[in-house]
Amino acid sequence: MWIQKSLTLAARKRGFHLVTDEILNQVPELRRIKVGLMHLFIQHTSASLTLNENADPTVRADFERYFNHAVRENEPYYEHTYEGTDDLPAHLKSSILGASLSIPVADGGLCLGTWQGIYLCEHRNQGGARSVVVTLQGE
């Protein structure tokens, strides 16, 4: 069985946001899959997806601080600055973290570890709602 759909994640401020439940609430078809994969693909170049700690929100705050330090704004060698000082750093962060995730599915649920959750990594100051294509494969 193959299922593919697009979903929208609510607009959020810049930072790392736990969106596991928001995604699962929009994909009720997942419950029909006994074994398979869920692939997520974010259709943007200034936001990304990743898996990490789902319990302690300080991890997400530390991620934001780390990436702001590692990929700084206002570097004198940046040429792509048309959409603001956060634009090129957002593109770089998106490439570093990635636009997709593949997660195993078993018995109608995601096979995430106890402390794992799906993050929307919003790299723009005002990124807006984000579109994600979800592809489910399984039986």
Side-chain angles (χ1 to χ4, degrees), residues 30-139:
L30 180 67
R31 292 185 281 252
R32 299 189 336 227
I33 297 179
K34 294 185 120 196
V35 61
L37 286 172
M38 180 172 77
H39 184 263
L40 302 169
F41 176 76
I42 191 163
Q43 296 180 295
H44 301 277
T45 61
S46 57
S48 54
L49 298 170
T50 195
L51 289 175
N52 218 293
E53 166 80 48
N54 67 1
D56 184 353
T58 64
V59 172
R60 295 188 299 276
D62 286 343
F63 263 57
E64 178 65 11
R65 284 187 289 274
Y66 171 81
F67 278 96
N68 287 338
H69 177 75
V71 183
R72 297 183 184 274
E73 293 185 17
N74 297 309
E75 292 292 358
Y77 50 85
Y78 291 165
E79 291 184 34
H80 181 77
T81 58
Y82 312 116
E83 296 179 41
T85 60
D86 65 331
D87 189 38
L88 182 65
H91 294 312
L92 294 170
K93 293 171 188 177
S94 177
S95 287
I96 291 166
L97 287 162
S100 66
L101 297 172
S102 290
I103 304 170
V105 174
D107 298 321
L110 298 179
C111 295
L112 294 172
T114 301
W115 306 112
Q116 286 183 312
I118 302 168
Y119 287 13
L120 166 65
C121 314
E122 179 54 69
H123 306 304
R124 294 299 309 267
N125 293 331
Q126 299 177 345
R130 297 301 191 170
S131 300
V132 175
V133 175
V134 177
T135 304
L136 296 170
Q137 174 192 14
E139 52 185 48

